[in-house]
């Protein structure tokens, strides 16, 4: 059974082999993860029943109403089991809670499975960043979804 928890510094060492396997030369370094956490970005860890990291995802909110999905990664042996969807759903819920109206992300133009996942959640292509992923010089498709911010409670509205 998978559970989500806040991604913490001690998850970084478990994230690095996942990065290496999934992204090779374009993987994130430990320093990049440390920087994300130090900047207060919203990160989640997907943990298995033994608390091993099997996936993670991050969201950077750019006030007042924009956010960027920084990454969504699931360990290869745990893919196609709904973990990526669970992580993305949680990121979008957090974005809505923070009254974000527009969520953006970059995805490699040759990563059709990820593009299908994002499209299923309302993301649409809005542009291309040429040579975004280095060192492969792979283009990134920029995708955007418009959100309905979380509703205020009735007490807040009436009070």
């Amino acid at each position: 059974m998978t559970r989500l928890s806040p991604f913490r510094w001690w998850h970084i060492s478990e994230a690095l082999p996942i990065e290496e396997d999934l992204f090779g030369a374009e993987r994130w370094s430990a320093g990049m993860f440390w920087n994300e956490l130090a900047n207060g970005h919203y990160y989640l860890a997907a943990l298995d029943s033994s608390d091993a990291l099997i996936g993670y995802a991050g969201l950077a909110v750019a006030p007042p109403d924009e956010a960027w999905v920084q990454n969504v990664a699931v360990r290869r042996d745990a893919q196609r089991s709904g973990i990526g969807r669970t992580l993305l759903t949680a990121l979008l819920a957090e974005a809505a809670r923070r009254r974000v109206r527009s969520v953006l992300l970059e995805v490699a133009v040759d990563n059709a499975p990820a593009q299908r996942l994002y499209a299923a959640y309302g993301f649409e292509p809005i542009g291309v960043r040429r040579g975004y992923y280095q060192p492969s010089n792979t283009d990134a498709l920029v995708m955007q979804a418009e959100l309905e911010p979380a509703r205020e409670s009735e007490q807040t509205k009436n009070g």
Side-chain angles (χ1 to χ4, degrees), residues 1-5 45-49 52 54-55 78 81-84 86-87:
M1 178 171 211
T2 303
R3 69 178 179 85
L4 299 184
S5 73
L47 305 171
D48 68 12
S49 58
I54 53 176
S81 61
I83 297 166
T86 299
L87 286 163

Side-chain angles (χ1 to χ4, degrees), residues 34-143:
W34 278 103
N35 189 55
E36 290 292 296
L37 296 177
N39 283 307
H41 295 165
Y42 182 78
Y43 268 76
L44 290 172
L47 305 171
D48 68 12
S49 58
S50 65
D51 282 342
L53 184 72
I54 53 176
Y56 49 89
L59 184 76
V61 176
D65 59 2
E66 184 178 284
W68 285 83
V69 173
Q70 300 294 84
N71 51 29
V72 176
V74 177
R75 201 173 65 198
R76 195 175 301 277
D77 65 345
Q79 290 179 356
R80 306 205 51 81
S81 61
I83 297 166
R85 288 181 181 278
T86 299
L87 286 163
L88 183 58
T89 298
L91 292 186
L92 295 175
E94 179 65 13
R97 188 186 72 75
R98 295 187 188 198
R99 302 200 172 290
V100 165
R101 295 191 185 284
S102 178
V103 178
L104 299 107
L105 57 82
E106 291 111 353
V107 60
V109 294
D110 58 358
N111 190 343
Q115 290 174 35
R116 284 192 298 273
L117 170 65
Y118 299 137
Y121 283 81
F123 284 87
E124 297 179 354
I126 61 166
V128 173
R129 294 190 198 274
R130 301 277 177 220
Y132 181 78
Y133 293 102
Q134 294 298 323
S136 70
N137 207 38
T138 302
D139 295 344
L141 183 64
V142 180
M143 301 181 79

